Amino acid sequence: MGVEFGLLGPVGAWDAEGAALPLGAPRHREVLGRLLIARGRVVPVGRLVADLWEGPAPAGAVGAVRTFVAALRRALEPGRVPRQPSRLLVTDGPGYALRAPREAVDAWRFEDTAARAGRAAPHAALALWDEALARWRGPVLADFPHAAWAAAEQVRLEALRLDAVERRADTLLATGAARDAVADLRAHLAAHPGREEGWVLLATALERSGRRGEALDTLRRARRALAGAYGPGARPALARSEARILGATGSATEPAGTADSVWERTAAAWDRSVPARSRARLHATAGLLRDLAVTGADGLREARTHRRDLVAAAETTGDTELAARIIGSYDVPALWTRADDPEGAGELVRAAARAAARLGPQGPPALRARLLSVVAVESRGDAAADAPPSRAAGAPAAEGWRLRAERAAEEAVRLARRLGDPALLAFALNGAFMQSFATCGSAARRDVLGAGLTRLAVEHQLPGHEVLGRLIRLQALAGLGDLTAADAQAEEIDRLAQRNERPLAAVFTAWYRALRTCETDGWPAARPRYARVLQETAVCGMPGLGRGAAALVALVPVMRGDGLPGPDDFAGLDAGPYRPWLEPLLLAASGAGEQARRALTAVARPPHDHLQEALWCVLARAAAAVGHVPVLRRARDELAAAGAESAGAGSGLVSFGPLTHHLLAVDAALGVHAPCAGPAGDGAGGRSPLAAGETEQD
């Protein structure tokens, strides 16, 4: 509606231009304030009467409230047609509700901005804390300081404000601006001397400003102030701060966040304070592994190594909810669909499924959404397969594990949206992305999904998932051939990755730029770029990306042309996980037509991931060479929906050229090798693929 409301100070409302709206007499503003603190819930007329007249209400109180509401509606929606229902201050059942979005109320925006600041890195957090605190114009509901209906909200919001002041000061310390924090904290404590955390922060700021004596004197004054407010007693935070300052041996002026000793002292304190084999250690370890996974290649390897052990340790406690929390805590953004450790991924899927089954559908919905997201993310490609995939030469078949993973992704997103938890929704959307490859030709759908994830991540300061959302878009746009839009995503990814210390993102943008060079300048120009990116990928800590990558690159010039590989094109290359789909092509190229046909009859359909279109094209090329009609027909059916895309480009890694080119080749092969066609050769040397006397493969 373009109207903004204020609780953080006198009750107010402003139009879209920032002009104050005429709310009328104090009773009108009081009704508005009472409806605002209800946060969109209905306030019955009787409740409004009781709140506005704390003693016995006059005989016309109900009518007066209705008059106040009517006047407020005129003020808030001056352009509303007479007798048209209000869309802002609505009548609902026995009372009224104010339907204002969160961003329209200063108190709610303060809370949301503070929450984002609490998740942000120090320099970004400082700007957010300033933005949050700038919303305060005075005490909460300042024109109704003694209203009983306002008391609880006044106390709650004021406590959040005091906490925000202290967390902003802590952020100043973390950025090395200790001197700036001193003045703010002194003013804060002059008004609120009972804040122990504020005193500790002031002492710390003084110490880091080189004023050690003042810091110790501040702690002594803090004890007197707190004793006056709460009586004598132990003040553990003050005692710890004093012991630290007295025992400090390093430079008192060293800024926060630059000394390794801070980590060492904290780790030592953790070991001393937290009992061995406690649940707190499991929770802390889960958080460390999650953070470790995004630090780079070494951290990713370590996180992958220890994650399975952590899940096993949590399951041995016998506490289903604890195990579920540990399993669901690893919400690291995931992109590459070939699991780095397929066996481990399968174990995690089964562990998450066990925990979800034990919790049941009535278990905590947020926890259930996390477990379902784990199932969806880890079931990438065929990692969670519990039966052999269907064959490429046969008809499509329902595969239970894939259907379960798809349903898990859908339910996780539904639960996360219902709960309104942005971080949980981002994790669930990651699972939905992993399960978005049910059919070929899904690049446009993935672009929409990536755009939604990016918006969510930007709005709620989730930098890791913003990088993920943009990478999803980068790949999808490359598949759709919109390289200009993909370039913009690549530039933003690199900027975000550098700012938020996400080094692995650069691996994906390097692959994309090699692909782009191939699309615009041809294979000879792209070849040296691919050589460099293969070297980088070999040490990136993602074997699911690295294994077989050189074979994918070697396929590029082959598949962008019309022939078969040369005898030395793949010499010494490890095809890794792609060997089953490359093998028939290599056999056909070597003249082993019968072996190639047998391989095509036995090979499984390509995994449902980024490269399914590319691998179907590889199978189709081999099938055309040796006359394997069932695979040609299946490839034609699978690829039909992807006609507007480039083969493989949706991976962001390689492109085999327009899919229309490959479809035309399949059509030509089917036309030549239809059942009514005459005798054929063995597929070698460019001859017709069906040898005399042979039939189509079943």
Side-chain angles (χ1 to χ4, degrees), residues 15-345:
D15 65 18
E17 304 301 322
L21 296 175
L23 298 180
R27 284 296 195 199
H28 299 78
R29 296 196 304 276
E30 190 169 8
V31 169
L32 179 60
R34 179 63 183 86
L35 293 174
L36 281 169
I37 70 167
R39 293 177 170 258
R41 295 186 297 273
V42 174
V43 181
V45 173
R47 180 73 264 170
L48 282 170
V49 169
D51 286 340
L52 267 62
W53 289 276
E54 295 180 9
V62 171
V65 166
R66 290 175 176 153
T67 300
F68 301 154
V69 168
L72 283 171
R73 284 172 170 163
R74 288 192 296 273
L76 297 176
E77 299 178 79
R80 182 167 56 90
V81 176
R83 301 186 182 280
Q84 181 182 2
S86 172
R87 291 183 293 158
L88 193 54
L89 203 170
V90 303
T91 301
D92 191 341
Y96 303 103
L98 191 72
R99 305 298 192 202
R102 285 194 66 80
E103 64 272 14
V105 181
D106 60 0
W108 305 347
R109 292 179 70 181
F110 161 73
E111 292 178 62
D112 292 345
T113 306
R116 289 164 55 204
R119 295 190 297 267
H123 287 284
L126 186 59
L128 290 169
W129 286 123
D130 287 341
E131 179 185 339
L133 289 166
R135 304 209 177 277
W136 286 74
R137 297 170 290 111
V140 179
L141 296 159
D143 31 4
F144 305 105
H146 305 299
W149 57 265
E153 189 70 354
Q154 287 167 331
V155 170
R156 187 184 73 84
L157 287 170
E158 178 64 10
L160 290 176
R161 186 188 72 82
L162 296 178
D163 182 63
V165 169
E166 291 170 0
R167 294 186 71 178
R168 178 185 179 276
D170 197 23
T171 303
L172 283 170
L173 296 177
T175 61
R179 288 180 174 83
D180 294 338
V182 169
D184 291 347
L185 286 166
R186 280 184 165 154
H188 171 64
L189 289 166
H192 305 280
R195 304 282 296 185
E196 183 177 8
E197 180 63 22
W199 288 107
V200 169
L201 286 166
L202 177 57
T204 303
L206 288 166
E207 179 207 8
R208 293 182 184 175
S209 301
R211 298 148 72 176
R212 187 167 176 267
E214 285 185 67
L216 293 170
D217 183 59
T218 292
L219 292 173
R220 287 190 286 271
R221 287 191 292 111
R223 283 195 180 85
R224 292 195 295 271
L226 292 171
Y230 304 111
R235 306 291 173 203
L238 297 180
R240 286 194 299 270
S241 183
E242 185 174 38
R244 179 182 55 77
I245 294 171
L246 289 171
T249 57
S251 169
T253 61
E254 187 173 27
T258 61
D260 289 342
S261 61
V262 174
W263 170 269
E264 293 167 0
R265 291 197 305 271
T266 304
W270 173 267
D271 283 337
R272 290 193 303 270
S273 306
V274 180
R277 297 181 296 280
S278 68
R279 298 180 183 189
R281 287 183 179 257
L282 287 174
H283 282 294
T285 304
L288 282 172
L289 290 180
R290 182 180 60 235
D291 294 341
L292 188 63
V294 298
T295 60
D298 292 341
L300 180 58
R301 290 190 192 97
E302 292 287 346
R304 186 168 58 246
T305 298
H306 299 300
R307 185 184 175 196
R308 290 165 67 180
D309 293 338
L310 177 65
V311 170
E315 287 194 301
T316 59
T317 66
D319 185 330
T320 297
E321 190 162 321
L322 172 66
R325 292 188 185 284
I326 296 299
I327 294 167
S329 66
Y330 195 83
D331 53 1
V332 177
L335 182 78
W336 181 237
T337 59
R338 293 210 179 273
D340 292 326
D341 176 11
E343 181 183 348

Side-chain angles (χ1 to χ4, degrees), residues 37 123 223 275 372 384 447 458 542 658 695:
I37 70 167
H123 287 284
R223 283 195 180 85
L372 293 170
D447 184 38
V458 169
M542 292 182 281
T695 59

Side-chain angles (χ1 to χ4, degrees), residues 328-381:
S329 66
Y330 195 83
D331 53 1
V332 177
L335 182 78
W336 181 237
T337 59
R338 293 210 179 273
D340 292 326
D341 176 11
E343 181 183 348
E347 288 183 12
L348 288 165
V349 168
R350 290 188 288 276
R354 285 194 299 271
R358 288 170 185 154
L359 287 174
Q362 303 307 315
L367 201 48
R368 181 171 176 79
R370 285 195 166 275
L371 291 170
L372 293 170
S373 297
V374 170
V375 170
V377 169
E378 297 297 337
S379 297
R380 56 185 79 182

Side-chain angles (χ1 to χ4, degrees), residues 366-658:
L367 201 48
R368 181 171 176 79
R370 285 195 166 275
L371 291 170
L372 293 170
S373 297
V374 170
V375 170
V377 169
E378 297 297 337
S379 297
R380 56 185 79 182
D382 292 339
D386 54 14
S390 60
R391 293 183 179 183
E399 295 166 335
W401 80 88
R402 284 193 49 249
L403 296 175
R404 288 193 294 272
E406 290 172 14
R407 287 196 296 267
E410 292 168 1
E411 186 178 352
V413 171
R414 187 166 57 250
L415 286 170
R417 289 193 190 281
R418 193 183 80 197
L419 293 167
D421 183 332
L424 179 58
L425 179 56
F427 188 22
L429 289 174
N430 196 169
F433 162 68
M434 287 297 192
Q435 297 305 317
S436 66
F437 298 88
T439 61
C440 294
S442 60
R445 175 188 170 197
R446 297 199 304 276
D447 184 38
V448 172
L449 192 155
L453 178 54
T454 301
R455 287 193 299 271
L456 175 76
V458 169
E459 182 179 354
H460 296 284
Q461 290 286 296
L462 304 171
H465 280 95
E466 183 182 352
V467 171
L468 172 64
R470 293 188 183 279
L471 281 168
I472 292 171
R473 293 207 68 200
L474 171 74
Q475 295 172 340
L477 290 164
L480 294 168
D482 190 348
L483 299 182
T484 301
D487 288 344
Q489 295 299 323
E491 291 174 8
E492 188 64 17
I493 289 163
D494 286 341
R495 186 184 69 80
L496 285 166
Q498 183 175 12
R499 188 177 69 192
N500 294 288
E501 298 181 336
R502 296 291 193 275
L504 296 178
V507 176
F508 295 99
T509 54
W511 273 99
Y512 163 71
R513 291 189 173 100
L515 179 157
R516 193 197 197 290
T517 301
C518 191
E519 292 283 73
T520 56
D521 303 326
W523 168 248
R527 186 171 183 172
R529 276 187 173 270
Y530 272 122
R532 289 194 296 272
V533 80
L534 284 170
Q535 290 178 337
E536 296 169 8
T537 304
V539 295
C540 73
M542 292 182 281
L545 176 62
R547 283 201 65 221
L552 283 179
V553 171
L555 276 169
V556 172
V558 176
M559 296 302 297
R560 291 178 77 88
D562 295 312
L564 298 176
D568 299 321
D569 287 352
F570 291 85
L573 292 183
D574 175 15
Y578 310 108
R579 175 153 294 281
W581 300 281
L582 181 56
E583 188 71 21
L585 186 66
L586 297 180
L587 289 170
S590 70
E594 182 57 35
Q595 288 178 264
R597 282 189 286 273
R598 286 199 296 268
L600 285 166
T601 299
V603 72
R605 52 107 185 108
H608 292 272
D609 61 28
H610 295 75
L611 286 163
Q612 60 181 329
E613 294 95 346
L615 294 179
W616 274 116
C617 289
V618 172
L619 290 180
R621 180 73 60 88
V626 299
H628 200 295
V629 174
V631 167
L632 279 170
R633 287 176 175 162
R634 175 77 182 275
R636 182 66 176 82
D637 290 343
E638 295 285 347
L639 293 171
E645 298 182 15
S646 295
S651 66
L653 306 177
V654 295
S655 172
F656 295 166

